[in-house]
Amino acid sequence: MALPARLTAALGRHPDDLTEDDLQRAVDNHIPEGVDLDWKKDFYDGKDAGRKELAKDVAAMANTVGGLLVIGVDDGKQDHAHALAPIEPAPGRGEEWIRSVIANWIQPVVPNVGVRSLQSAKEGKIYWLLTVPPSTQAPHAVAAPGNDYNFRVHVRHGTTTRTLAESEIAQRYRDRFHAVALDVDRVQDVFTAGLNYLTRHVMTAGPAGRKLAAWYPIWVSVTAVPTVRGDYPLTTQDERNAALDDFTKLANQAVTVNMRPDHPALVGRRQVRFEGVPTGQLHQDGSSSTALPLNSRADPFDDDAPARLYQRGLELDLVAQVQVAAAWAAETGAAGDLMLSAALHRPDGDLAPVRLVVSDSAFQHGPAVTITKTPAQTTANLAALAADKHEAVSTAYTLVADLLADMGTHQPHLLAPDGDIRLDRLGDYRQTLTGWDAQGT
């Protein structure tokens, strides 16, 4: 989860890994509160006033820079960690209650709030740690359920929380809409840069004088941009080599190994590039653009028939590309949603039609159509994509379904909308499926 870097520096480790000993060191060092850190001695009561206070604290952090709420550390009214004060668990007010309040008292919902209890050395006592990521959906308002017309918007201000005025709320909404427009522009910029890089690479004659496009005429690309940008250093050769090594490890965990890049790492401005199969660009902020060649062949039975483009390979390659795009974004510390754009390309500009087929033995083939030039786009939660391969399959299904629809095919053959892969339809592709076992896990 992307949180302010100051927190890790101040506390000595990421908030997800804090122990009671770390909290004691915070007390010993008088770690101060701030816009991203709030020490609280007492737990929230079970009445509406307590629910509102919890919602206000979480929303205020999400509306500012994100941060950490620690319940069970007394600030001694001095705005710094003063003494450990672990609490007894409140019956009926555990993690489920906390998440219910956050879900029902904040509009829109603050996504991906971390809720963790930490056992104290004092028998029966615990701490609560709530990690709140910065939000791209701010401003988040606090209101009692069903009371949509009486809400307040709060932000962190130093060590306190304050309520925004109406004019400030209006500006926050303008900022949100402007940020969305910037994200869309960023997707287009990364897509264009990736396509230009791919075209130059495959259309340049190799050592034998033959272009890569002659061997691989049709490619599929995936462009990904996180709404909360990450930061991975990519300004030196050592940093780029390390990034490509990390990306290779991530690629080995995808449903196929087709996304393993060739080395060495190639230079780019605040990015690392790789060429071959696949080709791609990894950006410092967690964005990426990758491309894979698709399996296309001449019709084995009719020399005059359109070339065949094999659909199963397209579907599996898109899953792998979605997985590594999410993994790279998460590796850089990005958060929020991941905006994805998938597209088919013929870098050589050939407009000859192709037929989508499932396999050479398939009885029915798709109509003869030219490659669609319209990208398919979707947005998914980055944390879910990075953690759950079924989420990646479901997201890839959405992208594939749109590309196939443009080419006259009703739906994917292998991918299911609920995130499953139809293993019984893999045929000779089963041997390429490395990150998905027989139980679909």
Side-chain angles (χ1 to χ4, degrees), residues 220 247-261 277-278 292-294 311-325 389 392-393 396 414-415 421 423 426 428-437 441:
V220 60
F247 184 78
T248 302
K249 294 175 184 177
L250 299 172
N252 284 331
Q253 300 169 21
V255 298
T256 76
V257 296
N258 290 351
M259 282 306 300
R260 288 187 300 190
V277 179
L292 279 171
L294 295 176
Q311 182 177 326
R312 288 183 296 181
L314 165 61
E315 295 182 32
L316 292 180
D317 282 345
L318 255 176
V319 175
Q321 286 180 275
V322 167
Q323 285 183 291
V324 297
K389 62 183 66 176
V393 171
L414 296 180
L415 310 185
I421 296 177
L423 300 178
L426 280 173
D428 54 355
Y429 279 90
R430 181 180 289 274
Q431 61 187 352
T432 70
L433 205 64
T434 57
W436 195 281
D437 62 27
T441 59

Side-chain angles (χ1 to χ4, degrees), residues 157-232:
H157 183 72
T159 61
T160 63
T161 298
R162 74 176 182 87
T163 304
L164 292 182
E166 188 277 336
S167 60
E168 293 176 301
I169 296 173
Q171 183 59 52
R172 293 294 180 108
Y173 280 114
R174 287 193 291 269
D175 291 343
R176 182 207 287 182
F177 300 142
H178 181 60
V180 171
L182 291 177
D183 288 339
V184 172
D185 290 343
R186 176 64 176 157
V187 172
Q188 184 59 46
D189 289 344
V190 175
F191 171 82
T192 301
L195 177 56
N196 290 340
Y197 184 56
L198 170 67
T199 302
R200 286 195 303 270
H201 173 53
V202 303
M203 294 303 294
T204 300
R210 193 169 188 187
K211 299 173 182 177
L212 191 59
W215 296 100
Y216 303 117
I218 303 175
W219 294 66
V220 60
S221 73
V222 169
T223 301
V225 172
T227 54
V228 178
R229 309 286 197 263
D231 187 14
Y232 193 113

Side-chain angles (χ1 to χ4, degrees), residues 6 11 15 23 71 113 145 170 178 207 262 271 275 299 309 328 344 357 372 376-377 393 405 413 436:
R6 191 195 79 86
L11 299 174
L23 298 181
I71 303 164
V113 175
H178 181 60
D262 290 339
Q271 63 184 256
E275 294 179 347
D299 191 299
L309 178 61
W328 171 251
L344 300 174
V357 299
T372 177
Q377 298 178 331
V393 171
H413 182 71
W436 195 281

Side-chain angles (χ1 to χ4, degrees), residues 24-351:
Q24 182 61 60
R25 279 191 291 272
V27 169
D28 296 341
N29 295 325
H30 293 170
I31 299 298
E33 292 183 324
V35 294
D36 55 5
L37 180 60
D38 191 5
W39 306 112
K40 302 187 76 70
K41 177 182 178 182
D42 300 315
F43 193 56
Y44 304 93
D45 70 43
K47 300 179 182 178
D48 279 357
R51 295 183 177 92
K52 182 178 179 180
E53 188 68 17
L54 168 58
K56 183 180 75 172
D57 289 342
V58 171
M61 280 197 167
N63 287 335
T64 313
V65 294
L68 175 67
L69 293 169
V70 181
I71 303 164
V73 175
D74 186 5
D75 71 351
K77 297 183 179 180
Q78 299 176 50
D79 297 332
H80 64 69
H82 178 72
L84 297 185
I87 61 177
E88 293 185 359
R93 284 182 284 140
E95 179 178 347
E96 185 176 347
W97 181 83
I98 294 172
R99 292 194 181 280
S100 175
V101 171
I102 293 172
N104 292 304
W105 282 69
I106 303 175
Q107 304 175 25
V109 173
V110 178
N112 306 318
V113 175
V115 179
R116 179 167 72 101
S117 63
L118 176 62
Q119 200 70 36
S120 171
K122 294 184 178 179
E123 186 174 357
K125 299 293 185 72
I126 63 171
Y127 305 88
W128 283 107
L129 282 72
L130 277 61
T131 49
V132 184
S135 175
T136 59
Q137 297 299 310
H140 296 272
V142 175
N147 192 1
D148 297 342
Y149 299 99
N150 183 18
F151 63 85
R152 296 288 185 272
V153 175
H154 308 278
V155 295
R156 292 286 293 174
H157 183 72
T159 61
T160 63
T161 298
R162 74 176 182 87
T163 304
L164 292 182
E166 188 277 336
S167 60
E168 293 176 301
I169 296 173
Q171 183 59 52
R172 293 294 180 108
Y173 280 114
R174 287 193 291 269
D175 291 343
R176 182 207 287 182
F177 300 142
H178 181 60
V180 171
L182 291 177
D183 288 339
V184 172
D185 290 343
R186 176 64 176 157
V187 172
Q188 184 59 46
D189 289 344
V190 175
F191 171 82
T192 301
L195 177 56
N196 290 340
Y197 184 56
L198 170 67
T199 302
R200 286 195 303 270
H201 173 53
V202 303
M203 294 303 294
T204 300
R210 193 169 188 187
K211 299 173 182 177
L212 191 59
W215 296 100
Y216 303 117
I218 303 175
W219 294 66
V220 60
S221 73
V222 169
T223 301
V225 172
T227 54
V228 178
R229 309 286 197 263
D231 187 14
Y232 193 113
L234 291 174
T235 55
T236 69
Q237 183 176 359
D238 287 344
E239 290 170 346
R240 293 186 180 96
N241 288 337
L244 195 58
D245 288 342
D246 286 344
F247 184 78
T248 302
K249 294 175 184 177
L250 299 172
N252 284 331
Q253 300 169 21
V255 298
T256 76
V257 296
N258 290 351
M259 282 306 300
R260 288 187 300 190
D262 290 339
H263 289 63
L266 303 177
V267 67
R269 179 184 290 187
R270 296 187 182 179
Q271 63 184 256
V272 59
R273 298 175 173 180
F274 49 91
E275 294 179 347
V277 179
T279 293
Q281 299 172 307
L282 309 174
H283 295 264
Q284 180 174 323
D285 66 359
S287 302
S288 63
S289 176
T290 61
L292 279 171
L294 295 176
N295 184 2
S296 61
R297 306 177 203 160
D299 191 299
F301 307 109
D302 185 353
D303 292 339
D304 296 325
R308 295 182 170 193
L309 178 61
Y310 290 86
Q311 182 177 326
R312 288 183 296 181
L314 165 61
E315 295 182 32
L316 292 180
D317 282 345
L318 255 176
V319 175
Q321 286 180 275
V322 167
Q323 285 183 291
V324 297
W328 171 251
E331 184 75 6
T332 69
D337 290 333
L338 191 66
M339 303 176 66
L340 293 152
S341 178
L344 300 174
H345 309 284
R346 289 205 67 149
D348 59 8
D350 191 339
L351 299 179

